[in-house]
Amino acid sequence: GVNNSWSTRGGATWYNGLQATVTMRLSYELSMISTSTCSKTIDRYRYINPSDSGPSRMISEYDAPQRFTLGGTYELPFGPERRFGWKNGIGGKLIGGWHFSANGVFQSGLPITLSSGVVMTGVSPTLSPDKRGVNDWFNKAAFVPLPSFTLRTAPWTLASLRADATENWDATFMKDTKFGDRANLRFQLDAFNTLNRAQFGAPNVNPTNSAYGTITSQANTPRTVQLGLKLTF
């Protein structure tokens, strides 16, 4: 089973998407690339009830309607073969060879898998951003407990009930120092989740649980910094 649902080998997935990519080299030192994707993914491989004659068609748990990425690299214009500063000697070694790059990912939240024992009331679970928070992520009036000995009618996922969106930046500072014609010493500093943004985990969707509608976990990790030094020759 998948997320308390029942699966079959005779299922199918439909993906429709439109992607645009823009590449820019703004100067000798600066280049950027961005991609934008609009898509929809539908699955038909999960049973709503074990007694169903076949799997039901519903929004995929991996559906991300909007995804935008932006990446850029900037080579600082100092040192040998650059516009400013010392061109050789110790000064050139110190200020030359610096690079900075950053990559950002912005993506819609993924659908949340509903509890196995819920009934949809007809109320939309969507809350406006100013009303949504870790204590009330969705409209709790949208679901009620499934009565005993009752077949489920609610799908496992809804396009209108999603987890927190992804908004992440990673950055890298790098310096190459050349020695002679072949040797190169590279210093690198990587900062993952550079802005230290917390991405919330999925909320509790069991209406019989005291934590119903709340979020008690984090989906990503705090800012992580790593240093590296590599010599090639």
Side-chain angles (χ1 to χ4, degrees), residues 14-233:
W14 294 268
Y15 174 85
N16 293 284
L18 175 65
Q19 179 174 305
T21 301
V22 177
T23 302
M24 298 174 288
R25 188 168 184 86
L26 303 178
S27 66
Y28 179 78
E29 296 91 2
L30 178 63
S31 61
M32 302 179 67
I33 182 171
S34 65
T35 62
S36 179
T37 304
C38 299
S39 65
K40 186 173 185 179
T41 307
I42 298 291
D43 286 335
R44 185 178 58 78
Y45 69 85
R46 288 175 289 183
Y47 287 78
I48 292 179
N49 295 287
S51 59
D52 291 349
S53 60
S56 296
R57 182 184 174 107
M58 64 192 75
I59 198 75
S60 172
E61 59 188 316
Y62 304 108
D63 177 66
Q66 303 290 332
R67 180 178 174 86
F68 177 76
T69 65
L70 177 65
T73 300
Y74 182 63
E75 301 177 18
L76 274 65
F78 304 107
E81 302 179 3
R82 295 295 183 264
R83 290 179 291 171
F84 307 110
W86 296 282
K87 307 300 182 184
N88 47 49
I90 298 298
K93 297 290 186 185
L94 292 175
I95 68 171
W98 285 97
H99 308 257
F100 170 75
S101 63
N103 295 281
V105 177
F106 309 89
Q107 178 179 287
S108 305
L110 299 179
I112 300 166
T113 301
L114 293 174
S115 169
S116 59
V118 299
V119 175
M120 297 178 61
T121 64
V123 175
S124 173
T126 304
L127 289 176
S128 59
D130 61 312
K131 294 182 179 179
R132 189 174 60 215
V134 293
N135 295 318
D136 290 287
W137 188 254
F138 58 90
N139 189 341
K140 291 184 282 189
F143 311 105
V144 294
L146 180 70
S148 300
F149 310 107
T150 304
L151 290 177
R152 176 191 175 104
T153 58
W156 291 103
T157 52
L158 297 170
S160 57
L161 181 61
R162 296 178 178 272
D164 195 15
T166 299
E167 298 179 18
N168 183 76
W169 282 99
D170 296 329
T172 296
F173 289 93
M174 186 169 59
K175 175 175 170 52
D176 286 321
T177 304
K178 295 182 180 181
F179 298 95
D181 295 330
R182 299 179 58 184
N184 183 74
L185 181 65
R186 170 169 291 182
F187 165 78
Q188 186 167 324
L189 182 152
D190 298 302
F192 305 103
N193 189 10
T194 308
L195 302 182
N196 204 31
R197 177 188 180 272
Q199 181 180 345
F200 300 133
N204 186 299
V205 290
N206 185 351
T208 64
N209 193 296
S210 60
Y212 176 56
T214 67
I215 294 176
T216 58
S217 64
Q218 183 174 336
N220 65 346
T221 57
R223 181 193 300 117
T224 303
V225 177
Q226 68 179 22
L227 301 175
L229 196 64
K230 180 172 71 174
L231 176 64
T232 56
F233 54 90

